[in-house]
């Protein structure tokens, strides 16, 4: 891992520790003070389960941080930055990392951003269309299953009506 990424992770952990401190517990408890006054046993229960809440919050935030860092390639970018800084400190010229490319001839940064945005939107559209297609197929299957169940219910209803008619006829004959 890049040194800066390790430091970033340490800062995130320090923020988590600070934000889930005892004062945070009391702040959360004060939100429900009316309920705790009306039902004192809930305050004791809250005190018992708060460590679990705190742990769940920490692990959820940590997982989300790691996911975002991975999706955005933060570690790789920080490693590339460290290489560039080290090369600059040594007086050498480092090659640009593969994620940094010169602008295409005749394009402004805005043009590049528009093109990237367009490509991202195209990929998202394709993803949404694929999802829509899958949902439509699921809907067709569910509709067919519902129609089959309706047919079975109609047949069962007809069969019950026939039996009821036979029972009524038998009852009238008696």
């Amino acid at each position: 891992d890049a040194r800066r990424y390790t430091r970033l992770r340490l800062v995130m952990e320090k923020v988590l520790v600070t934000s889930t401190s005892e004062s945070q517990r009391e702040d959360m408890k004060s939100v429900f003070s009316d309920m705790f006054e009306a039902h004192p046993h809930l305050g004791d229960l809250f005190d018992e389960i708060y460590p679990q809440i705190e742990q769940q919050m920490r692990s959820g935030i940590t997982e989300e941080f790691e996911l975002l860092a991975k999706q955005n390639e933060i570690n790789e970018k920080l490693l590339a930055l460290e290489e560039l800084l080290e090369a600059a400190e040594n007086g050498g010229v480092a090659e640009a990392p593969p994620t940094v490319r010169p602008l295409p001839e005749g394009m402004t940064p805005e043009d590049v951003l528009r093109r990237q945005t367009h490509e991202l939107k195209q990929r998202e559209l394709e993803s949404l269309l694929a999802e829509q297609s899958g949902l439509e197929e699921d809907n067709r299957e569910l509709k067919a299953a519902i129609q089959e169940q309706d047919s079975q219910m109609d047949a069962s209803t007809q069969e019950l009506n026939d039996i009821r008619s036979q029972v009524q006829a038998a009852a009238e004959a008696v």
Side-chain angles (χ1 to χ4, degrees):
D1 284 351
R3 290 184 316 248
R4 284 174 171 73
Y5 185 68
T6 302
R7 280 191 244 152
L8 180 62
R9 228 192 253 135
L10 289 172
V11 168
M12 190 266 311
E13 289 173 14
K14 185 174 182 179
V15 168
L16 279 177
V17 168
T18 303
S19 65
T20 56
S21 66
E22 186 64 32
S23 62
Q24 181 71 18
R25 171 189 264 188
E26 293 307 314
D27 289 344
M28 283 182 73
K29 206 170 181 181
S30 70
V31 171
F32 303 105
S33 61
D34 294 341
M35 182 175 61
F36 292 148
E37 287 174 13
H39 306 284
H41 67 283
L42 293 178
D44 296 336
L45 181 62
F46 177 80
D47 289 336
E48 287 179 33
I49 65 170
Y50 183 79
Q52 294 171 352
I53 295 170
E54 181 180 26
Q55 180 59 37
Q56 186 64 33
M57 287 188 321
R58 283 184 183 181
S59 66
I61 290 169
T62 302
E63 288 173 15
E64 186 71 18
F65 173 83
E66 293 296 333
L67 178 66
L68 288 171
K70 185 176 181 181
Q71 287 175 342
N72 292 297
E73 300 174 337
I74 300 298
N75 188 46
E76 292 79 6
K77 290 175 182 176
L78 288 172
L79 280 170
L81 174 65
E82 288 175 1
E83 288 174 13
L84 286 171
L85 291 172
E86 186 176 312
E89 286 174 0
N90 295 332
V93 177
E95 292 183 26
T99 56
V100 177
R101 297 180 300 257
L103 288 175
E105 189 67 33
M107 291 189 79
T108 66
E110 291 82 13
D111 294 336
V112 172
L113 286 173
R114 271 192 221 99
R115 183 172 62 178
Q116 288 175 341
T117 302
H118 177 74
E119 290 170 357
L120 284 171
K121 287 179 179 179
Q122 280 297 117
R123 285 196 298 267
E124 182 65 19
L125 176 62
E126 290 168 5
S127 171
L128 290 172
L129 289 173
E131 185 178 344
Q132 178 186 12
S133 177
L135 290 171
E136 287 172 347
E137 179 61 30
D138 290 348
N139 283 342
R140 282 191 290 277
E141 291 173 5
L142 290 171
K143 190 174 185 178
I146 289 171
Q147 288 173 342
E148 176 65 27
Q149 287 179 347
D150 282 348
S151 297
Q152 290 174 356
M153 285 177 49
D154 288 344
S156 295
T157 301
Q158 184 60 43
E159 190 176 322
L160 287 173
N161 285 337
D162 291 345
I163 292 172
R164 186 178 69 187
S165 296
Q166 291 172 359
V167 168
Q168 282 179 344
E172 290 174 3
V174 174

